[in-house]
Amino acid sequence: MQDDTKLWCVLIPCSSTQTWAVPQNCLAEIVTLHTDALQPPDELIWRERTVPLLDLGRDDGSQWQQPSRDAGLVAVFLGLKGEGCEYWGVAVRGQGLKVAALVPEEIEEVTEGVQEYASAAFMFNGVLCQVPDLDSFQKKVTVSQMVA
C-alpha cells in the first residue's frame, strides 16, 4: 500500500479519557519540560514566546510528569491569526503519544462517548480518538489567558 492513501496524524493523550487525533501540520512542536512539578504550568516560554496551556486532565488523576524522566510533555499548536495568541499548548497526559498512519477504509467512526468539542471520532487500536475543534480550544485558551 502506498503512503499517499494513508492519513497521517498525531495521537495525543490529553486526559485519562481523551485522546486527540490531529494533523501533523497543525503542531508546532512537542516540548519536553524538565520539572519535578506534578502539574503542568498555566503557560510556558517557548522560542521566546509566552504560550498559554490547556490542561484537560488536571482533575482526573492522569499523570503529566514522568518521574523517570523528571519531565512532562506539552503539544504546542499553531494558532489562528487574529484569535489572540500565535501559539497555544495542551498538556500531554499518560501514555500513547505517537504519529499514526490511518487508512481511511479501515477507520471505524464512533458516535457514542464522543465529547461535544469533537468534530469526528474513531477507534484506533482499541482507543477512542477524537478530532478536536482546535479553533474553539484556541479561543478558550485565549479567554482564560485574558481572565488570569
Side-chain angles (χ1 to χ4, degrees), residues 5 18 33 64 75-76 79 88 91 100 104 106 119 131 135:
T5 61
Q18 298 179 60
L33 294 179
W64 175 69
V76 177
W88 60 279
E106 296 175 4
S119 59
V131 180
D135 300 348

Side-chain angles (χ1 to χ4, degrees), residues 2-138:
Q2 294 180 345
D3 277 353
D4 60 351
T5 61
K6 296 179 181 178
L7 302 173
W8 289 90
C9 68
V10 181
L11 302 180
I12 303 171
C14 298
S15 76
S16 62
T17 60
Q18 298 179 60
T19 296
W20 284 7
V22 297
Q24 287 179 296
N25 63 358
C26 69
L27 276 173
E29 188 172 339
I30 302 293
V31 177
T32 301
L33 294 179
H34 294 281
T35 180
D36 58 1
L38 297 178
Q39 300 295 332
D42 293 329
E43 60 186 26
L44 72 118
I45 303 301
W46 173 76
R47 300 181 184 261
E48 300 181 12
R49 294 177 173 91
T50 299
V51 177
L53 297 184
L54 180 63
D55 183 8
L56 299 176
R58 185 173 298 269
D59 299 325
D60 73 2
S62 57
Q63 187 175 15
W64 175 69
Q65 193 257 10
Q66 306 294 317
S68 61
R69 293 189 278 170
D70 289 329
L73 298 176
V74 172
V76 177
F77 288 88
L78 302 169
L80 293 174
K81 292 185 188 261
E83 292 297 332
C85 59
E86 191 176 2
Y87 298 92
W88 60 279
V90 65
V92 178
R93 289 188 167 267
Q95 304 299 314
L97 175 66
K98 64 180 143 197
V99 175
L102 306 175
V103 179
E105 297 79 30
E106 296 175 4
I107 295 175
E108 175 191 340
E109 289 192 46
V110 175
T111 56
E112 285 187 37
V114 176
Q115 301 290 323
E116 64 183 43
Y117 68 76
S119 59
F122 57 91
M123 294 300 291
F124 181 74
N125 291 340
V127 175
L128 173 62
C129 299
Q130 301 180 70
V131 180
D133 178 354
L134 295 175
D135 300 348
S136 66
F137 275 108
Q138 180 181 351

